[in-house]
Amino acid sequence: MKKIICLLLIFTIMLTACSKWKVEIVDPTKPIENDSELVVPEEKKEEYYLSAGAYLDYGMEFIKGKAEWNSDNTLTFQHENTIKTISAENELLETVTLPKENLPEDGGYDLSWNEKYILAIDKQIESSWNKFGVVYFTNDGKVFLANVSLFDREGNLIKEYYRGDVYGYDEYGVYEVYLPVPDGSEYKGDGYLADGNRIHWIDEDKVIFECHLFVVYYDFSKDEGKILDDMRKYGEIYGKFDVYYGVQSPQCGVLNGDFYYLSTNVEQNGKVKNTIWRANENGAEELFEGKEFWHFFVGNEILIAVEGIDGSYVENGSIVYAINPENLELNEIFRGDASLPFGDDGKIRFKNSYNVEPQILYSYDYETGELTEDVGNTEFEVQTIVPEYLVYIMKSLDGRYFAEYDPDSVEPRLRILPCD
């Protein structure tokens, strides 16, 4: 009898306890009236991820946002005011959102980033023709930024530099520079920044601004900079023809904290000459005793320089050198018919000329020093910054993965796939 009474008491307690909670079956197809307390799930894996730039081109079509491979085979890319990172398995790892109130209202800006900072540089577009990102300087060597915003990697604004028109005309039609110069110093010049390909991080705080006739160093930890290479005399002498002088923008890059570039800043008997330079916070120096090259490529671990034979790479072929940045010695790896572009996906890749048959893919293994030939290879394509020059295939640093854009999407979308 006692056992029965105990069981009844336990059953009564359980009923009383359960009555404190209301159990309800929810229809998942009906909207929830109050979702303010819901935890928003993380963004799921997508087949393709939106990756458009922050503005449209002149035909009012989408452009691709910036995308960069990381050393661990993750890919970081821009979509409008966000920067996302996906894994080699195409899974979303991180999303950083920049506040729109600290960006141009018309959406015209480029982004550049490293592991610590994100730079937003105002773009020169139709709606803001005189308002764009520049680095400018005074006659006493001080360097300033305009129409540039600096964020941390969480998307928080660190500093917004001068915002406004760079140039304009007064009421009498006289051309004016609007950039503010502190301390009464004399304005000396400026360089165009609104191009994501002109910004090169040499470490987490320091950056090189490649401005064609100027190479400028800037340290954001100190918020100050200096000019490393000044070639403005060619602009003063040749006007619009100065495009043939200065840094050759596609042929430069950073390796081991140094900025290397091919520069046309020497004239000999009325002919220009391309030489290789190295720049860092200590200044700029010409390498290889001023030896002339017609092409230069900065790889993942080595440098590539191409010299014409007898002064003509078309008729007589070229010499391709691999350069170890530790000793800067010219190591000849190929002599013959070599053409652009060069690529690095764990090996240096290049081809013979397109009008030469059979097509040959050359692969230089800089770990072993071996050069191999793949006769008849017409499928290998490398990333190039020249639009429409080749199909855009962006391989990871070790060549195991590639970023593919959705061919059926009007707005750019990308994903990661294995190369196998």
Side-chain angles (χ1 to χ4, degrees):
M1 186 64 179
K2 289 182 179 180
K3 290 182 179 181
I4 295 174
I5 293 173
C6 289
L7 288 171
L8 288 172
L9 286 172
I10 293 171
F11 182 68
T12 303
I13 293 171
M14 290 177 64
L15 284 176
T16 304
C18 289
S19 66
K20 293 181 181 180
W21 286 274
K22 181 180 179 181
V23 180
E24 182 179 358
I25 305 298
V26 179
D27 185 352
T29 63
K30 292 183 179 180
I32 300 174
E33 294 181 0
N34 183 10
D35 60 355
S36 61
E37 298 180 358
L38 293 179
V39 177
V40 179
E42 294 184 3
E43 189 172 345
K44 64 179 182 180
K45 176 179 177 179
E46 301 282 353
E47 181 180 9
Y48 285 99
Y49 296 90
L50 287 169
S51 55
Y55 51 95
L56 303 176
D57 68 10
Y58 296 121
M60 300 306 291
E61 296 179 350
F62 291 103
I63 65 168
K64 293 174 181 175
K66 187 174 183 179
E68 292 183 342
W69 284 103
N70 303 309
S71 59
D72 59 357
N73 282 339
T74 60
L75 181 72
T76 301
F77 60 94
Q78 174 192 0
H79 176 60
E80 297 179 346
N81 66 315
T82 65
I83 294 178
K84 297 185 177 183
T85 300
I86 54 178
S87 69
E89 290 74 33
N90 204 46
E91 296 176 325
L92 182 68
L93 302 177
E94 180 187 44
T95 299
V96 178
T97 302
L98 303 183
K100 290 186 176 181
E101 59 268 24
N102 299 122
L103 298 169
E105 293 182 3
D106 56 14
Y109 54 90
D110 283 332
L111 297 183
S112 179
W113 59 82
N114 64 7
E115 295 179 354
K116 184 175 180 179
Y117 296 119
I118 302 170
L119 272 180
I121 306 98
D122 289 18
K123 187 76 174 177
Q124 187 179 31
I125 60 177
E126 190 172 4
S127 60
S128 56
W129 197 247
N130 293 324
K131 181 181 177 182
F132 51 87
V134 297
V135 54
Y136 63 104
F137 33 87
T138 59
N139 59 351
D140 58 0
K142 294 180 180 178
V143 173
F144 306 94
L145 301 177
N147 295 317
V148 173
S149 297
L150 180 68
F151 300 86
D152 64 21
R153 277 307 296 258
E154 283 72 48
N156 303 306
L157 180 68
I158 297 176
K159 183 171 182 177
E160 187 177 73
Y161 294 87
Y162 164 79
R163 305 197 77 88
D165 286 351
V166 175
Y167 308 120
Y169 295 88
D170 65 13
E171 57 182 324
Y172 304 104
V174 178
Y175 182 76
E176 290 184 317
V177 176
Y178 295 151
L179 294 168
V181 180
D183 306 325
S185 301
E186 180 184 347
Y187 168 83
K188 194 66 177 178
D190 59 76
Y192 184 75
L193 288 183
D195 184 339
N197 294 316
R198 295 178 179 269
I199 299 170
H200 304 268
W201 296 95
I202 57 177
D203 70 16
E204 66 176 13
D205 292 303
K206 305 176 183 66
V207 69
I208 295 289
F209 294 130
E210 183 272 290
C211 300
H212 181 47
L213 294 179
F214 304 95
V215 176
V216 182
Y217 162 86
Y218 204 90
D219 185 342
F220 284 105
S221 67
K222 300 178 180 178
D223 202 20
E224 62 183 25
K226 59 184 176 181
I227 299 175
L228 301 180
D229 197 351
D230 184 346
M231 295 165 276
R232 81 183 82 180
K233 64 180 181 181
Y234 295 110
E236 297 169 353
I237 296 173
Y238 299 108
K240 64 181 180 180
F241 294 104
D242 66 9
V243 295
Y244 298 107
Y245 298 87
V247 179
Q248 305 302 301
S249 293
Q251 303 177 66
C252 58
V254 173
L255 185 57
N256 297 343
D258 291 319
F259 177 64
Y260 293 91
Y261 57 103
L262 189 70
S263 179
T264 305
N265 60 4
V266 178
E267 278 190 314
Q268 291 182 341
N269 300 322
K271 296 179 64 177
V272 296
K273 182 181 179 184
N274 301 311
T275 60
I276 296 173
W277 290 67
R278 176 176 61 183
N280 51 41
E281 59 186 298
N282 298 317
E285 61 176 333
E286 191 177 46
L287 304 178
F288 311 115
E289 299 180 342
K291 187 177 180 66
E292 183 175 7
F293 301 94
W294 68 263
H295 184 65
F296 182 59
F297 173 73
V298 180
N300 301 329
E301 297 183 23
I302 64 170
L303 309 168
I304 294 292
V306 187
E307 177 189 11
I309 297 177
D310 299 330
S312 174
Y313 67 86
V314 175
E315 296 177 1
N316 302 318
S318 300
I319 305 173
V320 179
Y321 299 98
I323 305 167
N324 185 330
E326 298 298 325
N327 56 33
L328 292 178
E329 292 181 356
L330 294 170
N331 174 31
E332 181 179 330
I333 62 171
F334 176 83
R335 184 182 290 252
D337 183 23
S339 66
L340 304 182
F342 282 71
D344 188 347
D345 62 355
K347 294 182 180 180
I348 298 296
R349 314 276 192 172
F350 60 99
K351 285 186 176 183
N352 57 344
S353 295
Y354 300 108
N355 59 352
V356 175
E357 295 295 339
Q359 279 288 284
I360 302 174
L361 170 67
Y362 298 101
S363 300
Y364 174 70
D365 188 332
Y366 41 80
E367 297 293 333
T368 64
E370 180 183 10
L371 180 75
T372 58
E373 299 181 9
D374 186 358
V375 178
N377 189 317
T378 59
E379 297 181 355
F380 181 82
E381 294 157 331
V382 297
Q383 178 189 1
T384 171
I385 67 169
V386 182
E388 307 304 328
Y389 188 61
L390 286 178
V391 176
Y392 189 92
I393 293 183
M394 187 177 179
K395 286 195 173 184
S396 61
L397 302 184
D398 62 4
R400 296 171 56 195
Y401 302 91
F402 68 96
E404 178 188 61
Y405 285 88
D406 185 353
D408 300 320
S409 177
V410 175
E411 189 170 9
R413 304 168 66 93
L414 59 76
R415 65 178 176 180
I416 291 180
L417 292 175
C419 289
D420 297 329

